[in-house]
Amino acid sequence: MTENSIVEILIVEDTAEDLELTLRALRKANVSNRIQIARDGVEALEFVFCEGPHAERKIENIPKVILLDLKLPRLDGVSVLKRIKTDPRTQSIPVVVLTSSKEQSDVVESYKLGVNSYIVKPVNFEGFMKAVQDLGLYWLLLNQSPKMES
Amino acid sequence: MLHKNTPIQKKLMAVILLTTTLALLVSGLGFITFEIITIRGNMMRALETRANIIAPNIQNSLLRREPAAANAVLSGLQKDPRMISACVFDDAGRLFGRYPATAPDDAFPRSPDEAADHFGRDFVTAVSPVLLDGRQLGTIYLKSNLSALTERYSGYAMISATILLFSLLTAFFVSKALQKQISLPILTLADTARAVSEHGDYSVRATKHGADELGLLTDTFNHMLARIQEQNRGLRQLAAIIEATDDGIISKTLDGIITSWNPGAEKLFGYRADEVMGKSVIMIIPQELVHEEAEILKRLTRGESIEHFETVRLRKDGSRLNISASISPIKDASGNVVSISKIARDITAQKRAEAQIQQLNADLEQRVIARTAELQAANRELQHSRAELKSIFESLPGLYLVLTPELEIVSVSDAYLNATMTTRAGILHRNLFDVFPDNPADKNADGVSNLRASLDRVKQNGTADTMAIQKYDVRRPDGVFEERYWSPINSPVFGADREIKYIVHRVEEVTEFMRRKGQMASNGNAALSARVQQMEAEIFQSSQKLQATNQQLEAANKELEAFSYSVSHDLRAPLRAVDGFSQAVEEDYAAQLPEEGRRYLKTIRQGAQRMGRLIDDLLTFSRLSRKPMLPQAVNMDTLVAEVWEEFGAVNDGRQIQFHRDPLPSCLGDRALLRQVWTNLLANARKYTGQRDVAEIAVGCTLQDGEPVYFIRDNGAGFDMQYADKLFGVFQRLHHAHEFEGTGVGLAIVQRIIHRHGGRIWAESAPDQGATFYFTIQTEKTA
């Protein structure tokens, strides 16, 4: 990741298998946007708010969408969501929550914090397409993003 | 001759001829008169001339006084037969000569003075002097008859008559030829009018012959016919309406004589039209209402209309009839009221209904008044008993505190205030623990935490909670804490919505008791006091222990829940990997795998998915125990219909006959009961899968007065000897290859039914279908 390339999708996921399946689903949906991966809640917030290893990043270059797992080491997904959705600089970023079951409490709690969509894992082609539709992010499916080479 | 009824053709002819005749007569008469006057003048002058001619011949005889000579001259007059007589007077006025010579004296004037130019009835006379050198020798007198005149008269008459005759004939033929132009259009018009009047056919039209006044007349006439035709149509419609309507439509003269009476009136009043026509309308007015008629007439003659006038009239059979009458004056062209029309409607039924409504209204009002009074009384009673209850509560010898679930103090007894050294104003509407904190000086104080735990248990379980004896010191108004021991019990008070509305905290102060125990120890009754003290200590300790255990148990329960939740989530992660990557292989490398390999993959995925379902069901099952119940009235009919409809959305092409009897409502948690029906109906569908026509029936029977819901199917059924395993978790009575399932569904159903205080059981035989029964125990008071 170089400084001047803009990350368009942030995936926050700790389980390697789930991550791989998610990346595979994106690939199958012909998504070739630049992807950043965070393995826990702290890493995710560091990236979004340009702290720690990402201190050089500009916060104005917000990701176009965040795929967020709820169950994460260190800082859980709900806390991450709360930070992102309460900060005026980041609250407009669409967040798709990845849930491991249809347990209602997860979904309800996420919605209270302004979740834009959710996918029940494993993330497969159909589930990802559904989320894209919910968000109206069809541009994600274009092979070339207009801002890629700025 | 010209009678009114004479045809117009003859009239025209007569007029023309008469006019011609008159014109001719008047002009002829004028002409003749002029002629006669002229002729008579001429005759007079001719006679005078003759006298003048004769005069010189007479001179000599006069001079010579020879009358014979004069007579001879005069006799020359005989050549003219018209001459009657002639004479000569001498200068002395004496008769000198005469003609005819034999004529007597009296045939002449006695003297020349009497003679003059004169027209008599049938004669004319002329007088001329006989002059010689300016001297009058005598006078000649000539008298002639008027035969010349008469001849002229008859000549004129002949000519006039001929002209008249000829003129008349000419006029006759000319007019005959010309009058067609006038009479033909009129006659056509007359013929049309006759056709109209004879046959009442207003559709015929007169032919127009020109654009003159007659043409205009024809047009006007045709236009009038069209108008009449139109009005006629309207009139026929009106007549049809009048004939057909149930309303009585009557017209009458200003003195009340009936002039028309439609079938509606016949029906209404019972009189046929021929029975009332020409009679006074008084016959249908009851005696006591006759005055109405005069009043009505007065208003109508002023030109007013009367609408919806409700009154009573008599029928032919003497019965009385309530009618609503609309009466209007009928006016002629100049606006004078000439007759009256009246439309009467039978409102007997309406009147009766109105009376009933009035009665009902009156009753209702009475009832409302009575009820209001009752309510007011009840309200007063209530106010009164409320106040009474409040004062009773506050003066109870026991120590009571009433709290909201949020632990706000809403009510307190005087005894409690005394025991805790507080005032009502000081603690009402404050939080319990703000008012009663732990004694900061006592390191071991656990009153607040124990009481909070007890209150939480009350809120969670909805049951009373008795606490062990507590050391809970109270703060004096001066801020110093005093040692106190209490024996508390907390109990819930439910509201109408079955939610906890209040918690009653009742305590007994046992400080004195505890203190006396200490005194007894110092009083020397050592053995007894030691024993009592020991017992008290034991009780106190064991209850303390019990309390602690209880709290530990609760914590453990919570941990267990968190654990099972977490486990089921963590279990899912590897499962997802198994299923997800199997799918990836299937999608990406299926072509490179042999048939057998693909089947293995499929089996792996099925296994993973089945385990996913098991975990889901386990989660649901464990959630059942921790999910709080929300009891409410549940309409089972709607619930079952909804659930079945959701199944219906899954169109798997099966033929299922579903029958649902009406179900009584019950009190329970709707979401949980929905789960019950969903699982039971899903089972019924599943186990009838091998039937050509599946039959599923839902109903309710009464057993010992208790409603028992049931669901019956004609599916695979089961052997009753395994019935006890039916509701166990992961217990299955069929092989997975026959019927899919995790073995949790019925366990969930039983758990829910038990939570509702109900029972569930089943009846079946292999291949004979199964019937599941369950009851829902609910509080009758709710």
Side-chain angles (χ1 to χ4, degrees), chain B residues 259-278:
Chain B
T259 51
S260 82
W261 187 265
N262 77 331
E266 291 186 342
K267 248 186 279 174
L268 203 60
F269 296 105
Y271 288 104
R272 286 196 318 278
D274 57 1
E275 292 175 299
V276 292
M277 293 289 273

Side-chain angles (χ1 to χ4, degrees), chain B residues 632-638 662-668 707 709 776 778:
Chain B
Q632 54 175 316
V634 178
N635 184 332
M636 289 289 226
D637 277 324
T638 340
L663 303 172
S665 296
C666 73
L667 196 67
Y709 300 93
I776 303 269
T778 53

Side-chain angles (χ1 to χ4, degrees), chain B residues 22 51 53 301 357 387 423 425 444 566 574 657:
Chain B
L22 266 174
I53 293 168
T301 34
I357 288 168
T423 61
N444 296 321
S566 164
Q657 288 181 356

